[in-house]
Amino acid sequence: MTVERLPAAELDAVFGLLANELRIEIIRTLWEQQEEPLSFTDLQSLVDVRDSGKFNYHLNVLVPAFVERSEDGYALTHAGQHVVGAAVSGRFTEADEITVDDVPAGECMFCGGHLSARYEGGDVTVDCDDCEDLVTRMPIPPNTVSGLDPENLPAVFSRHLLTLTNQLSRGFCKLCQGRVDSSLTALSSSESVTFRPSLDVRFDCRACGDRTHLNVGGVVMDHPAVTSFLYDHGIDLRRSYVWELTSLLDPEATVASEDPLRLRLVVRLDGDELELTLDETATVVDHTRG
């Protein structure tokens, strides 16, 4: 598998399109007036630039990447809306301004001790007070945490983590929304990141090259056989801390076949079993419940 990374020159070109205050003001104005496209005259008036030549030049730089031009006028493209979304999230400007000190976050899957969650530097970290093991760490935009009651941080983070996990498992990059390729790292030379090598799944984005590792239990978490199995045992993923689902995150794992690669997982709850068979892409190809 080859990961196609965004060339430096192309990345510089994208940043160059936005490296101007007037262009940012055009995007901001189109966002505020997004109910319908704006004519050239109306847009120029709202941006308040008298020099039509200068305004036209900077507007055309944004077309077609961030601004769409049609017979009805000018409007933001999907990429242009993402520019505004990134700014609103505070991801790049407010990450150091919001902190949440340690709050209880459930029970440790490693030792049964007490977990704590905290938000600092744009990241939520969940680790154990007793064995000091790191359970999970992931960036979250400041606007997701801003105004949040501290005791609600673990629940919000769990839902955020579940959302990103589902996005990756369904084949989309968490950064650029491009297509990702997933692969089990068991029996490969790839370095495992999860606490057990047999449970490690790697995601490589074909577009931006981002690489993410997830526990295979998290990857299959949104499969109907898994969600129904958990729900039948009183576990609602929407109201549970993802990192407390030990039976799913630390199941019995056996390599059932090497060529083709097949991983067999057995999830046990209250005497009930769910057996899953995954292929080399961490896709469930068979399941039985007994």
Side-chain angles (χ1 to χ4, degrees):
M1 178 185 63
T2 301
V3 179
E4 299 179 359
R5 297 185 180 276
L6 189 66
E10 186 174 343
L11 192 60
D12 289 342
V14 172
F15 288 146
L17 294 178
L18 298 171
N20 181 275
E21 291 184 5
L22 177 52
R23 296 172 202 168
I24 296 299
E25 182 63 17
I26 290 172
I27 290 176
R28 185 189 66 80
T29 302
L30 287 172
W31 173 263
E32 293 177 348
Q33 306 292 327
Q34 62 179 317
E35 291 186 2
E36 57 184 26
L38 293 175
S39 67
F40 180 92
T41 301
D42 289 341
L43 180 56
Q44 181 183 356
S45 176
L46 288 169
V47 175
D48 194 20
V49 176
R50 295 185 179 181
D51 188 334
S52 294
K54 176 181 178 181
F55 178 77
N56 185 56
Y57 168 77
H58 288 287
L59 176 58
N60 285 335
V61 169
L62 296 172
V63 178
F66 300 108
V67 175
E68 177 185 18
R69 178 170 49 208
S70 67
E71 294 181 355
D72 297 325
Y74 295 87
L76 288 180
T77 63
H78 186 62
Q81 294 172 0
H82 268 282
V83 171
V84 178
V88 170
S89 75
R91 188 183 302 258
F92 308 111
T93 58
E94 299 176 6
D96 294 330
E97 298 178 8
I98 300 176
T99 60
V100 178
D101 294 329
D102 290 349
V103 294
E107 184 176 296
C108 178
M109 64 179 289
F110 302 114
C111 73
H114 299 290
L115 296 179
S116 293
R118 61 184 176 277
Y119 185 77
E120 184 178 13
D123 290 336
V124 171
T125 301
V126 177
D127 52 21
C128 182
D129 300 336
D130 298 327
C131 69
E132 299 183 353
D133 274 336
L134 173 68
V135 175
T136 183
R137 177 184 293 124
M138 184 170 287
I140 287 187
N143 72 322
T144 303
V145 180
S146 177
L148 186 69
D149 290 335
E151 62 269 21
N152 293 330
L153 176 65
V156 170
F157 178 45
S158 180
R159 292 196 294 270
H160 183 80
L161 182 60
L162 182 62
T163 298
L164 292 182
T165 298
N166 289 347
Q167 181 175 331
L168 282 165
S169 66
R170 293 174 184 180
F172 299 99
C173 177
K174 68 182 189 299
L175 295 181
C176 75
Q177 319 306 318
R179 297 292 298 170
V180 297
D181 295 307
S182 57
S183 58
L184 294 171
T185 63
L187 304 184
S188 75
S189 59
S190 299
E191 181 181 0
S192 172
V193 174
T194 55
F195 75 102
R196 283 174 58 196
S198 60
L199 302 179
D200 189 72
V201 181
R202 191 182 77 191
F203 294 87
D204 292 287
C205 179
R206 302 174 190 174
C208 73
D210 177 67
R211 177 168 292 174
T212 303
H213 290 255
L214 292 175
N215 183 302
V216 69
V219 176
V220 302
M221 201 171 286
D222 70 335
H223 190 280
V226 176
T227 55
S228 60
F229 180 74
L230 295 175
Y231 193 77
D232 287 348
H233 288 273
I235 300 174
D236 185 344
L237 289 175
R238 299 168 301 177
R239 295 176 173 83
S240 305
Y241 293 160
V242 173
W243 49 85
E244 284 193 307
L245 302 178
T246 307
S247 57
L248 185 59
L249 299 178
D250 190 19
E252 177 186 313
T254 307
V255 175
S257 170
E258 295 187 9
D259 188 18
L261 178 60
R262 293 292 183 269
L263 182 67
R264 174 178 171 270
L265 303 178
V266 179
V267 183
R268 295 185 174 89
L269 281 173
D270 303 327
D272 197 5
E273 290 186 355
L274 173 65
E275 181 177 319
L276 305 168
T277 301
L278 283 66
D279 66 12
E280 66 278 358
T281 68
T283 300
V284 176
V285 293
D286 192 21
H287 59 86
T288 59
R289 186 166 169 176

